Amino acid sequence: MGYTWLLALWLAVGHRIPDPDRASGVVADVYRLAHAAGFVAVGIAVSVGAYIFGVIATPIGLSIT
């Protein structure tokens, strides 16, 4: 369920995230960290984030509906 929430979030705000060459501040730091960590580590981090986001957002979504 967390991946569904992340997909919805990406569709809502993904167009506002700048490309790596135009990023600054925290976004640039996240790009650098992702580059340094590698593809597998980023995949693991996204999966853990999706799980945590799903655990938090699902009860909120169910209570709204």
Side-chain angles (χ1 to χ4, degrees):
M1 193 60 134
Y3 285 113
T4 306
W5 283 107
L6 285 182
L7 176 63
L9 184 65
W10 178 257
L11 292 174
V13 297
H15 65 281
R16 300 181 137 231
I17 299 172
D19 293 330
D21 55 338
R22 296 179 47 150
S24 62
V26 175
V27 177
D29 292 340
V30 170
Y31 278 129
R32 279 194 294 276
L33 180 63
H35 181 71
F39 185 73
V40 174
V42 170
I44 292 170
V46 168
S47 293
V48 170
Y51 172 75
I52 292 171
F53 194 70
V55 165
I56 294 170
T58 299
I60 294 170
L62 290 175
S63 67
I64 290 172
T65 59

